[in-house]
Amino acid sequence: MIQIPKGCKDVLPSQVYAWHKVEDTARAVAEAYAFREIRTPVFEHTELFSRGVGDTTDIVNKEMYTFLDKGGRSVTLRPEGTAGVARAFLEHGLAGGVLPFKAYYLISAFRYERPQAGRLREFHQFGCELYGAAGAAADAEVISLADAFLRRLGLREVALRINSIGCKTCRARYHEALKNYFAPHIGVMCADCRSRFEKNPMRIIDCKEEGCKAIAAGAPRMLDYLCNDCRAHFEEVKRLLSEAGVSYAVDPSIVRGLDYYSRTVFEFVSAAAGAQGTVLGGGRYDTLLEQVGGKSVPAVGFAAGMERLLMVMEAENCLPPADMGAACYLAGMDAPSREKAFLLAGELRRQGISCEVDLMERSVKSQFKYADKTGAKFVAVLGERELEEGAAEVKDMRNSSSERVKFEELAKYIQRRM
Ligand code: HAM
């Protein structure tokens, strides 16, 4: 039998209702902040990601699904949503339009990672991006949107951690300090960290190898190297979050795994998601748009991993109950009543009521069993007598009470009681 590719997951009808809850909540909260949806292609020119996400990142170095198309062009399945939104924003000249530009997306993304719980090769993100606003208010707005989204899902145990990784100027000084600190240890660190040491020493702080982690624990902290502007910006973000009632902890170990960030970075973390505890991550990225070929536009945003969110929702008992049943099952006893059931079902559906009829040629008893198993709310039984009277015997499956209801009143009857 052909099996699903490693690191991918099917979402079955019995599971998709939980996805709908997350997607509906994402849309509702983003729209409440007046963000509008944007849709960009699943694949882009490879260069967009190597320049945008950054060639010192694991994503670009090891994890991209890159291939040559039939025209010999190198294309890549998007490993995240931000670079595509930035490209679309520039390509459509939106930098010259009304600012700030605020967009959200619900997408699939692809990374060739070693699969484990909460880490997939095809996964899904809800993301928000805000362009054109350089001030701390934009950071606070985006973080409070993320916080509102998680709270609206009912999550209580997800904690916000924030940090500042400064700007180009202050980070250069910090990189020097980090190099001085790591130089005596570099011989015993992992191969990745040895290359990070040369290209982007800050990324060493994010290494998951135990040996490297222990060394990194004593490393200098970016917060001690912030320039005055970056420090003032970070203070203002924290003040606004506190004013807005968004609780957070400053965590100097948050550096993020993508190259484009500057100043504010943040993650929402849950112990319930196991080793892959980050359910949502983001930050400010004022240099990305210039990097992918446009003019300089300040930007801030985040993305949440849908699969991880669902894991945490399950652990925190926030998943809605599965609701698979039709509002009404129409059972027919004989051939003429089956036909009437078929026609009545069409009528009810046109009025927005979900209903089912027998397609398996089952006995009435078996039809009842099926209706019960699938969780139908009402069963309307039709037989010779019912057809003569022009009324069905309607059973409310939740309390087993029954009533005679005229065919033409059936829709209203069900709607009133749903
Ligand atoms: P990221 O931290 O790479 O950031 O991913 C965001 C979230 O996507 C993670 O916190 C995680 O929940 C989920 N995620 C990432 N990789 C996987 C995976 N292999 N399997 C399952 N879930 C995963 C970004 O993607 C940035 N574009 C976020 C951003 C938007 N920053 C600014 N704007």
Side-chain angles (χ1 to χ4, degrees):
M1 213 189 68
I2 298 172
Q3 291 186 330
I4 191 169
K6 204 170 157 188
C8 299
K9 263 195 179 160
D10 297 311
V11 181
L12 301 177
S14 60
Q15 301 161 330
V16 82
Y17 68 95
W19 285 75
H20 290 165
K21 175 171 172 174
V22 178
E23 290 160 0
D24 293 348
T25 306
R27 286 178 195 285
V29 175
E31 300 271 348
Y33 280 75
F35 282 60
R36 302 291 175 238
E37 186 174 354
I38 185 164
R39 299 187 186 192
T40 63
V42 168
F43 62 89
E44 298 270 1
H45 293 299
T46 301
E47 202 187 344
L48 176 68
F49 302 115
S50 45
R51 270 209 264 160
V53 175
D55 54 14
T56 74
T57 61
D58 283 353
I59 296 178
V60 168
N61 285 327
K62 304 188 218 165
E63 297 169 0
M64 294 212 298
Y65 276 91
T66 297
F67 57 97
L68 292 181
D69 70 8
K70 290 194 193 302
R73 288 167 289 257
S74 178
V75 293
T76 295
L77 300 184
R78 62 179 166 215
E80 54 102 57
T82 308
V85 174
R87 180 205 45 71
F89 173 80
L90 294 170
E91 191 163 345
H92 295 277
L94 302 182
V98 182
L99 295 176
F101 169 82
K102 297 186 283 184
Y104 74 91
Y105 49 84
L106 286 154
I107 59 166
S108 53
F110 306 85
R111 296 183 193 176
Y112 192 82
E113 297 202 72
R114 196 144 33 87
Q116 61 181 75
R119 200 206 274 154
L120 296 158
R121 290 184 175 170
E122 185 198 29
F123 61 100
H124 296 78
Q125 287 187 336
F126 160 54
C128 289
E129 314 291 357
L130 189 156
Y131 295 164
D139 309 40
E141 175 100 329
V142 161
I143 295 172
S144 78
L145 193 173
D147 185 69
F149 165 62
L150 298 171
R151 304 304 158 213
R152 184 88 71 95
L153 289 176
L155 297 172
R156 295 280 162 265
E157 309 291 320
V158 178
L160 168 60
R161 297 185 188 162
I162 62 171
N163 190 22
S164 174
I165 56 167
C167 61
K168 253 196 209 137
T169 320
C170 49
R171 208 176 314 143
R173 280 203 311 132
Y174 178 55
H175 277 175
E176 276 317 303
L178 278 180
K179 280 192 157 180
N180 290 338
Y181 173 81
F182 284 120
H185 305 286
I186 199 67
V188 295
M189 298 182 81
C190 72
D192 281 344
C193 281
R194 285 202 290 275
S195 111
R196 288 170 184 141
F197 181 81
E198 292 306 330
K199 292 190 199 155
N200 189 351
M202 197 173 66
R203 177 96 358 96
I204 296 177
I205 292 172
D206 210 20
C207 185
K208 304 288 180 274
E209 296 281 330
E210 287 307 325
C212 303
K213 256 164 88 175
I215 297 166
R221 300 152 22 124
M222 181 67 226
L223 289 177
D224 299 326
Y225 289 80
L226 293 180
C227 62
N228 288 341
D229 284 354
C230 287
R231 179 175 311 284
H233 185 94
F234 192 49
E235 291 306 317
E236 183 63 0
V237 172
K238 290 192 293 182
R239 192 187 68 78
L240 288 170
L241 289 178
S242 302
E243 287 287 317
V246 176
S247 34
Y248 63 85
V250 174
D251 181 345
S253 74
I254 304 277
V255 295
R256 308 280 300 133
L258 300 92
D259 276 353
Y260 47 59
Y261 294 108
S262 52
R263 294 195 165 172
T264 317
V265 286
F266 57 93
E267 292 183 349
F268 283 84
V269 183
S270 163
Q276 307 301 320
T278 306
V279 294
L280 184 155
R284 178 165 279 287
Y285 53 100
D286 291 344
T287 54
L288 173 71
L289 283 107
E290 206 170 355
Q291 215 121 53
V292 300
K295 53 182 188 178
S296 158
V297 180
V300 56
F302 71 81
M306 305 284 272
E307 287 83 356
R308 286 189 200 173
L309 271 178
L310 288 161
M311 279 171 63
V312 175
M313 286 170 71
E314 189 173 7
E316 283 201 39
N317 263 325
C318 297
L319 290 180
D323 184 5
M324 302 282 287
C328 184
Y329 185 94
L330 293 133
M333 293 194 200
D334 52 17
S337 39
R338 278 168 183 274
E339 187 165 331
K340 181 67 186 174
F342 177 75
L343 296 174
L344 261 180
E347 194 51 50
L348 293 182
R349 288 166 184 153
R350 276 189 285 282
Q351 302 196 48
I353 297 169
S354 77
C355 40
E356 275 195 278
V357 293
D358 177 38
L359 304 172
M360 304 286 285
E361 300 180 6
R362 290 186 168 120
S363 68
V364 172
K365 199 173 153 198
S366 303
Q367 291 182 56
F368 254 102
K369 256 196 204 148
Y370 171 85
D372 189 38
K373 255 194 213 156
T374 55
K377 314 290 178 303
F378 294 89
V379 177
V381 187
L382 282 73
E384 207 180 328
R385 276 235 327 262
E386 285 76 11
L387 257 52
E388 269 167 28
E389 285 176 26
E393 186 67 17
V394 181
K395 181 171 173 187
D396 186 332
M397 300 294 278
R398 294 165 295 191
N399 57 20
S400 293
S401 63
S402 284
E403 246 180 286
R404 215 58 163 187
V405 183
K406 290 225 171 76
F407 293 153
E408 61 273 19
E409 287 165 12
L410 198 51
K412 279 224 169 64
Y413 180 87
I414 290 169
Q415 268 158 350
R416 264 204 307 274
R417 284 166 181 74
M418 278 299 283

